[in-house]
Amino acid sequence: MHHFAYRDGALFAEDVDLRRIAAEVGTPVYVYSSATIERHYRLFESAMRGIDPAAPAPHVFYAVKANGNLGVLKTLAALGAGADTVSEGEVRKALAAGFAPEKIVFSGVGKSESELAFAVGAGIFQINIESESELELLSKVAARLGKRQEAVFRVNPDIGAGGHAKITTGSAANKFGVSFEEASRLYARAANMPGVRMMGLAVHIGSQIRETEAFEAAYAKMVGLVGSLRAEGHRVDRLDLGGGLGIPYEIPKDFDHGPSLIEDYAAMVGRVTKGLDVELGFEPGRLIVGNAGILLTQVLHLNSRPTKQFLVVDAAMNDLLRPAMYEAYHEIWPVAEPAADMRKLAYDVVGPICESGDTFTTDRLLPELKQHDLIAFMTAGAYGASMSSTYNQRPLVAEVLVKGTEFAVTRPRQSYEDLIGTDRAPPWLA
Ligand code: LLP
């Protein structure tokens, strides 16, 4: 469920008319609903807590990469969420948003020495180590700081899944994690290193996964590994099960409840980890923020050709990369509510960027639209603004957070001064 709906003929975000946001902030602009973010976080957190009500509550580390807007992060920090980060920038942003260091985990295949030093120095909860080389570097960096950093190994289970090849992470061909076969040797090696304390294991097999089967197969493998590591005399207290739960991008008309995938997933995790006696962790991103955001854009031009009707909008692939990068589908809702009997036309919806890849959709049947009409790309809260760029020297897109009847610009549109003024001319051309 989300909180974008038609009211008196116009699309609203909670109690705010999107036409008002367009008029005051301009387009393109991302608009996020606090109520939707809160609802999804609570649904997920309570389902995971329900896995074993007698155990300490599992950790829910929101994956900052999905949407790192300060307003979104503060909303989640206030709900008690932790943060899953993948760069020093994300660690810093999570700290700035009010996440306690003890609620931050740091994953990623390419952490640099200075990034590790920053994270260890900040006192974060856990580092998810992805290679033997990283293990050595982390131990060296932490020992130099006089610390012993709590860490887990991210293991590649050779079971991948995901909505697209580019977002599958768990197969052996993917760059992520230490190999399953080497986990035991590395765990033993880490035990003799001064700068790390191994606490357990992590796994993340991919993103936009809408069935529990692949998760179950990967988690069962991890549970087996926990058992064999313990049999070898190691302590394994934590199991971080990653993120990856998918969401519906095609919104059925009667869709009015939280995805039951959460319940199926919780039941499956309960079954697979029963009696294991580990602290569970989760790293959901898309599930929390995906349908809590839309990209609001305006029709600039209609380019009608004999065989094609192009709808040129003011958002482009630099603002929302997913269709160009993953052939992703986003529903398009006109802001003015279309009459049920309104004529529909097949449009290619494109942005102003000078390459044909800047196409959001082809031959999409939409109610007839005209110049200056506002439309919304739905389900754009995850991996939308967080993947935006300034390609074609387009200022970074603006972001707005709505709460009830209020809205606030949580990232102003980048100014042309900032866009141009941060470059420096070389001295020989100054
Ligand atoms: N944990 C780790 C280690 C990850 O690599 C990811 C996502 C997550 C958690 C969160 O996954 P989620 O729950 O959001 O599926 N840009 C792509 C998605 C890339 C996902 C990368 N890793 C897209 O727009 O579909």
Side-chain angles (χ1 to χ4, degrees), residues 65-336:
K65 66 176 82 67
N67 186 325
N69 184 266
L70 192 66
V72 170
L73 295 182
K74 276 183 168 293
T75 301
L76 286 160
L79 291 169
D84 164 45
T85 63
V86 290
S87 68
E88 181 174 336
E90 285 194 356
V91 177
R92 285 178 181 270
K93 205 153 184 199
L95 291 168
F99 288 92
E102 316 79 70
K103 289 196 160 202
I104 298 177
V105 299
F106 187 10
S107 327
V109 299
K111 305 180 195 82
S112 71
E113 183 161 352
S114 62
E115 286 186 308
L116 287 170
F118 179 81
V120 172
I124 70 162
F125 178 69
Q126 168 180 304
I127 291 187
N128 295 8
I129 299 172
E130 304 221 13
S131 63
E132 185 162 15
S133 159
E134 185 188 341
L135 168 68
E136 288 162 6
L137 184 61
L138 173 60
S139 180
K140 188 180 89 179
V141 166
R144 196 165 60 211
L145 292 169
K147 296 208 179 192
R148 202 166 174 152
Q149 175 65 47
E150 296 194 352
V152 299
F153 279 115
R154 173 171 178 184
V155 175
N156 184 313
D158 196 14
I159 294 171
H164 190 274
K166 288 188 179 133
I167 57 175
T168 297
T169 54
S171 52
N174 301 135
K175 66 182 174 179
F176 301 95
V178 304
S179 74
F180 193 83
E181 292 70 28
E182 289 206 291
S184 154
R185 178 181 69 78
L186 294 177
Y187 218 93
R189 203 180 153 204
N192 302 315
M193 289 192 169
V196 290
R197 177 172 294 118
M198 293 316 298
M199 303 301 293
L201 302 172
V203 65
H204 172 80
I205 60 169
S207 191
Q208 184 56 13
I209 304 168
R210 300 207 53 206
E211 290 93 29
T212 59
E213 284 74 14
F215 286 120
E216 179 157 7
Y219 295 173
K221 258 184 116 164
M222 297 301 292
V223 168
L225 185 56
V226 171
S228 52
L229 290 173
R230 283 178 175 163
E232 289 159 16
H234 300 296
R235 269 189 75 165
V236 186
D237 295 340
R238 296 183 195 158
L239 185 55
D240 176 342
L241 296 176
L245 274 90
I247 57 172
Y249 279 87
E250 298 189 45
I251 308 166
K253 287 283 164 282
D254 58 355
F255 179 67
D256 65 352
H257 53 79
S260 65
L261 178 62
I262 296 182
E263 278 113 64
D264 295 349
Y265 177 83
M268 177 276 289
V269 172
R271 202 164 57 238
V272 176
T273 63
K274 199 171 164 57
L276 193 63
D277 191 25
V278 286
E279 265 176 69
L280 292 176
F282 300 93
E283 302 173 352
R286 190 191 312 266
L287 184 89
I288 308 293
V289 292
N291 63 8
I294 60 148
L295 174 60
L296 186 60
T297 180
Q298 191 182 146
V299 176
L300 294 177
H301 302 287
L302 279 150
N303 184 6
S304 305
R305 295 213 306 243
T307 54
K308 278 273 183 203
Q309 176 83 284
F310 291 100
L311 195 71
V312 187
V313 298
D314 65 4
M317 65 191 282
N318 71 302
D319 305 307
L320 177 63
L321 187 58
R322 303 192 68 257
M325 183 109 167
Y326 316 110
E327 292 92 35
Y329 172 92
H330 288 266
E331 286 206 352
I332 295 173
W333 291 12
V335 169

